[in-house]
Amino acid sequence: MIVSHKYKFIFLKTFKTAGTSIEVFLSQHCGPEDIVTPIRPYVAPHKARNWRGYFNPLPEYRILGAGEYMATTRRLLKRKRFYNHMRGEVLRSRIPADIWDNYYKFTVERNPWDKIVSHYYDRAARNEGGLTFEEYLARGKFPLNYPIYTSGTEEPRLLVDTVVRYENLTEGLGEVFDRLGIPFSGSLGVRAKGGWRRDRRPCQDFYSTEQRGFVARVFATEIALHGYTFPGPD
């Protein structure tokens, strides 16, 4: 997550959407007063800054509910005022209203069936490869991104000005960076975590008909928000 006073933007980092590579790129352009959250494991030449500090947890308790009270309390005790993959609603409660209202806000989203395959290889790599695709799906822990960039209500409302499509990442980021005045040659200069997936088959080859429908149900909100469909011919 980045709040840049230099360029007057807020970047909400989502899961499995090149977010780490984008943060590494942007951190090199951010000013000394900007807020840049840490990346773990570290990726050079990223430089985190200004992310520590105390905050009032009460607004966040109301946003997140009782299930996440402990996580918020732990962050308060550790002075983690800003952190990776921070929800927009939480960030809004921790920064001045004029910054949230006036800065340009953007994020990146990805076709859920493709995102699932990428996340599977991420989890398998951390599990030293001992995880099948079926076992991964059965775990039920998926990269749902919409709570990060929407109001999180029963009918989610976008909190950002632009949702860049991962499928058109270079073009989409080019338009955003041009608007912000950030130099961009068409390359982020780093491809963080790109080596975890070695099987480069099209993502649709991973799914049975039942699994395809399962992902559609899990990601129904993101599909409705962005009009995603299962890749390839029906």
Side-chain angles (χ1 to χ4, degrees):
M1 192 282 300
I2 296 177
V3 178
S4 174
H5 305 302
K6 179 181 178 181
Y7 289 103
K8 300 189 184 309
F9 75 80
I10 294 171
F11 171 60
L12 297 179
K13 181 182 178 182
T14 47
F15 295 100
K16 306 312 300 175
T17 57
T20 296
S21 298
I22 294 169
E23 280 191 322
V24 172
F25 172 82
L26 288 173
S27 75
Q28 298 172 73
H29 294 277
C30 285
E33 304 302 319
D34 292 353
I35 299 166
V36 182
T37 55
I39 291 173
R40 292 186 179 87
Y42 174 73
V43 178
H46 181 267
K47 183 179 179 181
R49 68 206 81 161
N50 306 315
W51 58 278
R52 286 196 176 277
Y54 291 109
F55 58 92
N56 177 7
L58 296 181
E60 186 169 340
Y61 288 153
R62 289 193 292 269
I63 293 168
L64 299 178
E68 298 187 53
Y69 280 9
M70 289 304 298
T72 296
T73 302
R74 285 194 297 270
R75 292 187 182 109
L76 176 63
L77 295 174
K78 294 181 179 181
R79 297 177 58 241
K80 292 184 177 181
R81 186 180 181 190
F82 304 103
Y83 53 91
N84 216 4
H85 300 297
M86 193 172 186
R87 284 178 54 173
E89 284 192 304
V90 174
L91 175 61
R92 180 167 58 178
S93 74
R94 297 192 188 179
I95 60 177
D98 63 324
I99 290 178
W100 176 265
D101 292 340
N102 295 310
Y103 281 22
Y104 182 79
K105 297 174 283 291
F106 71 100
T107 191
V108 183
E109 188 53 283
R110 184 175 187 173
N111 184 295
W113 289 277
D114 187 38
K115 184 167 56 174
I116 278 285
V117 173
S118 178
H119 193 245
Y120 159 65
Y121 277 101
D122 181 317
R123 299 298 94 182
R126 296 173 190 270
N127 201 45
E128 298 182 351
L131 183 69
T132 67
F133 190 58
E134 291 74 18
E135 290 169 340
Y136 162 80
L137 291 175
R139 286 184 171 189
K141 297 181 179 179
F142 305 121
L144 283 166
N145 287 330
Y146 78 90
I148 295 174
Y149 57 80
T150 70
S151 60
T153 60
E154 292 184 3
E155 295 183 3
R157 178 179 57 85
L158 289 176
L159 296 174
V160 295
D161 300 294
T162 296
V163 178
V164 174
R165 297 264 185 155
Y166 179 86
E167 296 76 24
N168 300 302
L169 187 65
T170 300
E171 180 182 354
L173 289 179
E175 293 174 359
V176 169
F177 295 160
D178 183 63
R179 175 183 182 134
L180 296 171
I182 298 173
F184 182 58
S185 65
S187 172
L188 294 170
V190 62
R191 191 165 177 260
K193 305 176 184 177
W196 286 348
R197 178 177 175 180
R198 297 182 179 178
D199 187 340
R200 292 296 173 179
R201 287 180 295 156
C203 73
Q204 55 266 36
D205 290 356
F206 286 80
Y207 293 96
S208 67
T209 300
E210 181 180 356
Q211 291 168 340
R212 169 181 170 177
F214 173 70
V215 171
R217 292 189 295 274
V218 171
F219 288 85
T221 298
E222 291 176 12
I223 291 170
L225 280 170
H226 308 292
Y228 278 117
T229 59
F230 188 71
D234 285 334

